[in-house]
């Protein structure tokens, strides 16, 4: 299921919804707009997921659900993730100019579920999508910023992510027949179960999405 999950759910990042009846694509585009605005009016944009070698003079930074990909599940379990994140923030500091702002989102882990059945469902999904084992906690990001970046704003998008997951769930169900024909019954069922579990975990505050705005520390 791992190999076809991105095909069935091509953009699993959180959409930012309004109170109106948005379409999923509109909500996904709004996420990019919100992050760009939070990063300020800089003209040279640095993507935190693709830090270049050498020097730089970037004046805005965006990291859109990329920190989870920088940390392996083993590093997370061993407590080595803070060192990995700190090196990323230090490198971003070295590539930017004074006054730079950073806007980032990251999938975060909340409370553990109390239900044994829910725990078993999450374990099954994590086997299929190992990324979820890398989920950070908001305080991890704050600690890793160190002396390079100061956290100025923190916002949760738990409701937005739950709505995004439900939107993908609806699309999977609407296209059940062609998807089963193309990918097979087992693959379709596994993907549907994964998205259902993901949506439930977000609604129950086991997973969430946090958006942070950070300012470069200039000493």
């Amino acid at each position: 299921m791992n190999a076809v999950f991105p095909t069935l759910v091509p953009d699993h990042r959180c959409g930012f919804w309004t109170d109106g009846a948005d379409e999923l694509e509109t909500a996904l585009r709004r996420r990019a707009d919100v992050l760009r605005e939070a990063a300020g009016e800089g003209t040279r944009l640095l993507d935190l997921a693709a830090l270049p070698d050498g020097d730089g003079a970037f004046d805005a930074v965006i990291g859109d659900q990329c920190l989870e990909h920088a940390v392996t599940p083993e590093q997370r379990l061993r407590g080595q993730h803070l060192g990995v994140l700190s090196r990323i923030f230090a490198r971003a500091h070295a590539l930017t100019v004074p006054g730079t702002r950073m806007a980032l989102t990251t999938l975060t882990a909340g409370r553990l579920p109390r239900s044994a059945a829910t725990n078993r469902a999450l374990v099954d999904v994590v086997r299929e999508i190992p990324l979820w084992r890398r989920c950070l906690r908001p305080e991890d990001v704050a600690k890793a910023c160190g002396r390079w970046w100061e956290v100025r704003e923190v916002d949760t998008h738990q409701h937005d992510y739950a709505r995004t997951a439900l939107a993908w769930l609806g699309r999977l169900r609407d296209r059940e027949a062609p998807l089963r024909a193309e990918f097979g019954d087992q693959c379709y069922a596994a993907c549907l179960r994964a998205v259902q579990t993901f949506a439930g975990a977000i609604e129950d505050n086991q997973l969430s999405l946090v958006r942070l705005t950070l300012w470069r520390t200039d000493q």
Side-chain angles (χ1 to χ4, degrees):
M1 200 271 284
N2 246 337
V4 298
F5 185 83
T7 302
L8 293 174
V9 186
D11 191 345
H12 58 274
R13 292 174 295 180
C14 179
F16 289 0
W17 303 77
T18 64
D19 292 335
D22 278 343
E23 293 291 334
L24 176 59
E25 285 74 17
T26 304
L28 293 172
R29 287 195 298 270
R30 184 175 291 111
R31 178 194 69 232
D33 294 339
V34 169
L35 288 177
R36 187 63 185 90
E37 181 180 354
E41 299 179 356
T43 57
R44 294 203 63 204
L45 183 64
L46 174 65
D47 186 346
L48 203 64
L51 297 177
D53 295 328
D55 299 324
F58 296 94
D59 55 4
V61 185
I62 286 179
D64 191 4
Q65 289 186 240
C66 62
L67 293 182
E68 307 94 301
H69 296 271
V71 178
T72 67
E74 292 73 25
Q75 289 171 327
R76 184 74 180 84
L77 289 173
R78 295 170 185 167
Q80 299 170 336
H81 57 295
L82 291 181
V84 175
L85 298 178
S86 293
R87 288 189 290 274
I88 292 173
F89 286 120
R91 182 60 185 149
H93 187 279
L95 289 168
T96 52
V97 300
T100 297
R101 284 156 57 180
M102 177 190 298
L104 62 85
T105 60
T106 185
L107 189 64
T108 57
R111 69 176 183 83
L112 293 175
R114 296 181 180 274
S115 164
T118 302
N119 273 315
R120 286 194 295 270
L122 283 173
V123 168
D124 289 341
V125 171
V126 164
R127 289 195 185 103
E128 298 289 350
I129 310 174
L131 172 64
W132 294 356
R133 284 186 288 166
R134 309 176 190 182
C135 291
L136 305 171
R137 297 189 63 85
E139 57 265 34
D140 292 337
V141 179
K143 291 176 183 177
C145 290
R147 57 188 177 87
W148 301 287
W149 299 86
E150 177 188 356
V151 177
R152 292 289 187 94
E153 297 179 7
V154 179
D155 294 288
T156 178
H157 286 272
Q158 180 179 350
H159 175 73
D160 283 322
Y161 220 162
R163 187 170 175 181
T164 303
L166 290 174
W168 277 116
L169 191 60
R171 291 198 173 188
L172 288 173
R173 286 170 171 161
D174 289 344
R175 300 186 60 226
E176 179 176 356
L179 290 175
R180 284 185 181 276
E182 182 175 358
F183 298 102
D185 292 343
Q186 184 176 0
C187 180
Y188 173 82
C191 187
L192 186 69
R193 185 168 59 250
V195 177
Q196 286 174 322
T197 303
F198 186 45
I202 293 172
E203 289 184 321
D204 202 29
N205 199 29
Q206 298 153 21
L207 297 174
S208 185
L209 185 89
V210 170
R211 175 170 59 88
L212 304 98
T213 302
L214 305 89
W215 288 26
R216 188 181 189 270
T217 301
D218 303 315
Q219 300 177 349

